[in-house]
Amino acid sequence: MDAWLASNSPRRYALIQPLFPDLHHAGLDGVDETPPLGTVGEQVSTICHRKADAVPDTTHSLVIVADTMLSDPDEHSLSMGKPRDLAHAATMLLRLSGRLHQVWSATAVRWNGVWHRWCESAVVSIPELTADQMDALLTSNSWVGKAGGYDLAGPMGEHARLVEGDESTVLGIAGGAMEFLEVLASTV
């Protein structure tokens, strides 16, 4: 199948590529990822819609776009995006340490010219991180390009645990979209 993951995320690629071995993997340029007003679910959904709208004419029969954000554990209507730098990553990890938080992923899949959309959340628990654990997470650079400053399938996976929802939602593809893609891959 001629599929395009319109994302630069290596984690999303790792999720989708086993389903579609010839997956084209290249992000979109110039998409406004500034969070709009609204709930975090509305914010991530709007950004995903922007990405879908930015997909150029293509011969790919399957196109996948997605966005992921975390809800601030203190103010659930505020989103935590990707850290700008090491200090911002440290601040994010400190806010999440010892707490539960919600992760939102919105995914849009265009199959044969028709868009299908999902926006789902999952709950993750991160234990109180020690100074050594925090230092290891930061120096691993696993926070780079990751919503909330961590990667559940990376070094943070030794500490964090999924409490509710789908792991794929935390990793960047809404669980319902992942199920849709799995069924699609098994039928073509």
Side-chain angles (χ1 to χ4, degrees), residues 60-61 110-115:
H60 298 285
S61 57
R110 189 176 76 191
W111 168 238
N112 285 332
V114 177
W115 283 104

Side-chain angles (χ1 to χ4, degrees), residues 85-150:
D85 54 30
L86 183 66
H88 193 213
T91 300
M92 286 182 167
L93 292 177
L94 284 171
R95 290 186 68 71
L96 298 173
S97 179
R99 310 187 66 190
L100 293 171
H101 64 277
Q102 200 169 20
V103 180
W104 289 87
S105 279
T107 306
V109 176
R110 189 176 76 191
W111 168 238
N112 285 332
V114 177
W115 283 104
H116 306 269
R117 300 174 193 273
W118 296 262
C119 184
E120 299 176 19
S121 66
V123 177
V124 175
S125 173
I126 296 179
E128 192 73 41
L129 298 169
T130 67
D132 287 343
Q133 291 168 332
M134 182 75 73
D135 185 56
L137 288 167
L138 293 169
T139 57
S140 75
N141 284 333
S142 63
W143 56 269
V144 175
K146 305 293 187 308
Y150 76 89

Side-chain angles (χ1 to χ4, degrees), residues 2-188:
D2 188 22
W4 173 22
L5 174 61
S7 168
N8 291 320
S9 167
R11 189 57 62 210
R12 287 188 187 110
Y13 180 76
L15 285 170
I16 303 298
Q17 193 277 331
L19 301 174
F20 306 101
D22 296 326
L23 182 66
H24 175 67
H25 179 224
L28 300 164
D29 293 324
V31 177
D32 179 9
E33 294 192 42
T34 306
L37 295 177
T39 66
V40 176
E42 292 167 343
Q43 292 173 38
V44 74
S45 186
T46 297
I47 293 170
C48 185
H49 275 73
R50 290 176 190 163
K51 290 177 179 181
D53 290 344
V55 171
D57 288 338
T58 179
T59 59
H60 298 285
S61 57
L62 177 70
V63 179
I64 306 156
V65 297
D67 196 63
T68 302
M69 290 182 169
L70 278 67
S71 293
D72 185 297
D74 291 321
E75 179 54 61
H76 298 288
S77 63
L78 296 177
S79 60
M80 295 175 71
K82 300 172 189 171
R84 296 178 300 273
D85 54 30
L86 183 66
H88 193 213
T91 300
M92 286 182 167
L93 292 177
L94 284 171
R95 290 186 68 71
L96 298 173
S97 179
R99 310 187 66 190
L100 293 171
H101 64 277
Q102 200 169 20
V103 180
W104 289 87
S105 279
T107 306
V109 176
R110 189 176 76 191
W111 168 238
N112 285 332
V114 177
W115 283 104
H116 306 269
R117 300 174 193 273
W118 296 262
C119 184
E120 299 176 19
S121 66
V123 177
V124 175
S125 173
I126 296 179
E128 192 73 41
L129 298 169
T130 67
D132 287 343
Q133 291 168 332
M134 182 75 73
D135 185 56
L137 288 167
L138 293 169
T139 57
S140 75
N141 284 333
S142 63
W143 56 269
V144 175
K146 305 293 187 308
Y150 76 89
D151 180 1
L152 187 65
M156 181 59 89
E158 296 176 29
H159 311 291
R161 70 179 178 86
L162 182 65
V163 175
E164 180 182 306
D166 293 305
E167 183 176 355
S168 68
T169 299
V170 180
L171 298 176
I173 299 288
M178 195 68 199
E179 290 175 18
F180 178 84
L181 293 167
E182 288 167 349
V183 169
L184 188 60
S186 70
T187 60
V188 288

